[in-house]
Amino acid sequence: MVAAGCSATSGDDPATADADGSDVGGDVVLVTHDSFSLPKKLVRAFEQETGYTLVHTPAGDGGELTSKLELTQGEPLGDVAFGVDNTFAASALDAGVFAPYEAPLPDGVEDFRLPGDDDHALTPVDTGNVCVNVDTAWFADHDLAPPASLDDLTDPAYEGLFVTPGATTSTPGMAFLLATIGEYGDGWTDYWGDLLANDAQVVKGWEDAYFVDFTYSGGDRPIVLSYDTSPAYTVKDGESSTKALLDTCFRQVEYAGVLDGAENPAGAEALVDWLVSPEVQAALPTSMYVFPVDPAAPLPKQWARFAEQPAETLEVSPEEIADNRRDWLTTWTELTSR
């Protein structure tokens, strides 16, 4: 939930030689989406323990990140990428963006691996559910019952109230498109036609939707696409003023991977290992408002009450996404461009 800054440090010290003559240290460049953030003390600890200097390079929202990685395949923007999720991952693998690397994983994390990633090029780091969220305080003030389902978003009662990031530029936006495909099948285009006719707004990225247009942040739209963890962010005086609609959710898993052609592959592997370390996994909920993939990682106390997870999520298989993603996005772009 926190807008990313360059939380990692940078430097250009040359690598030093280990006792066996191999190079260690130097820069290791981490390319991420704009919402990446981890405590500086963790970054310093990584640098001190490994001898590498972590350089953080934001590359836009998740969709933009994936596109840039594909366009620079073989001559990458850095050594490691974090933030490609299960809605875009198959495309990145097909493009040869990532090099094989099987990181040591805590017990239970294997469950989050991407089906079809036989080379283990992608390491799961965090998870969460993309869900429609509502500003319950706004609805109470306007004496209007909030929506409860995807169907409700097309009801004239909610005309002009919903904002979502785009499917071509945002991984949450892509997850929402997949949620509608999972719910309506081939009828998803009719649903989107009705949604847009009800004056749904499509913006570039999640941060634009949540921090600009959502009423909680001072905007004028009280329904926003966000996460099941978001209500834990809006707690004041022991109560949350927002709520996730748990019947609208699509599970998102974010991955890290060593980039093919990385200048510092040893540093890249050390960095991937670090992202699934107990220290980083424990920091994810308060740093990025996502669930760690390590089931043993502790969660903030208030998450038990306010970060409620859905019992079931809307689903589209990775194979179906890989086979149809391009056509779906082309159709979606045509719909939203009218």
Side-chain angles (χ1 to χ4, degrees):
M1 298 291 295
V2 181
C6 288
S7 58
T9 58
S10 63
D12 52 6
D13 293 337
T16 58
D18 203 351
D20 62 2
S22 61
D23 288 339
V24 297
D27 290 348
V28 56
V29 181
L30 174 63
V31 186
T32 76
H33 55 50
D34 288 343
S35 296
F36 176 83
S37 179
L38 284 175
K40 291 181 179 179
K41 66 178 182 180
L42 282 184
V43 175
R44 289 194 296 267
F46 167 79
E47 294 177 331
Q48 291 168 0
E49 292 170 6
T50 65
Y52 297 110
T53 298
L54 179 55
V55 181
H56 177 213
T57 303
D61 212 314
E64 291 179 276
L65 168 66
T66 307
S67 295
K68 289 177 181 178
L69 294 177
E70 292 178 359
L71 289 171
T72 57
Q73 189 279 329
E75 297 181 358
L77 301 172
D79 301 300
V80 177
F82 164 78
V84 174
D85 82 336
N86 53 307
T87 67
F88 284 91
S91 174
L93 289 179
D94 288 344
V97 166
F98 296 100
Y101 174 60
E102 187 169 1
L105 298 179
D107 290 342
V109 177
E110 287 282 349
D111 295 342
F112 293 95
R113 281 204 181 277
L114 184 75
D117 180 15
D118 297 331
D119 290 332
H120 293 167
L122 293 173
T123 298
V125 174
D126 67 68
T127 186
N129 294 292
V130 175
C131 312
V132 175
N133 275 231
V134 296
D135 182 344
T136 52
W138 186 95
F139 280 98
D141 290 343
H142 289 75
D143 196 26
L144 177 64
S149 66
L150 292 177
D151 279 347
D152 288 348
L153 299 183
T154 65
D155 190 311
Y158 306 109
E159 183 177 0
L161 301 186
F162 177 50
V163 57
T164 179
T168 56
T169 55
S170 161
T171 54
M174 182 63 181
F176 180 64
L177 171 59
L178 292 173
T180 63
I181 293 170
E183 177 71 8
Y184 299 106
D186 292 341
W188 73 268
T189 53
D190 293 333
Y191 174 80
W192 271 89
D194 294 340
L195 190 66
L196 294 167
N198 210 34
D199 193 26
Q201 183 178 1
V202 178
V203 296
K204 182 178 179 182
W206 171 82
E207 291 184 347
D208 301 302
Y210 200 93
F211 291 116
V212 177
D213 294 294
F214 189 34
T215 49
Y216 174 82
S217 302
D220 59 4
R221 294 192 175 234
I223 311 172
V224 65
L225 186 76
S226 196
Y227 293 89
D228 56 354
T229 55
S230 299
Y233 174 77
T234 60
V235 176
K236 183 178 180 181
D237 298 328
E239 295 295 334
S240 179
S241 59
T242 66
K243 180 181 180 181
L245 307 184
L246 299 183
D247 290 337
T248 68
C249 302
F250 187 92
R251 190 173 83 160
Q252 185 180 45
V253 180
E254 290 188 318
Y255 303 95
V258 177
L259 291 170
D260 181 59
E263 291 187 4
N264 190 349
E269 292 176 1
L271 182 51
V272 171
D273 292 352
W274 176 67
L275 289 171
V276 288
S277 68
E279 295 78 15
V280 172
Q281 290 288 296
L284 290 172
T286 52
S287 297
M288 290 192 282
Y289 269 77
V290 290
F291 286 95
V293 289
D294 184 352
L299 298 175
K301 290 182 179 180
Q302 66 183 19
W303 278 38
R305 179 178 176 189
F306 297 112
E308 185 181 359
Q309 294 181 287
E312 296 181 359
T313 56
L314 298 167
E315 295 184 0
V316 181
S317 72
E319 295 81 8
E320 190 175 359
I321 295 172
D323 290 343
N324 296 283
R325 176 176 172 270
R326 187 182 300 274
D327 290 341
W328 286 338
L329 288 177
T330 298
T331 302
W332 179 89
T333 301
E334 292 171 351
L335 286 168
T336 55
S337 299
R338 292 174 183 171

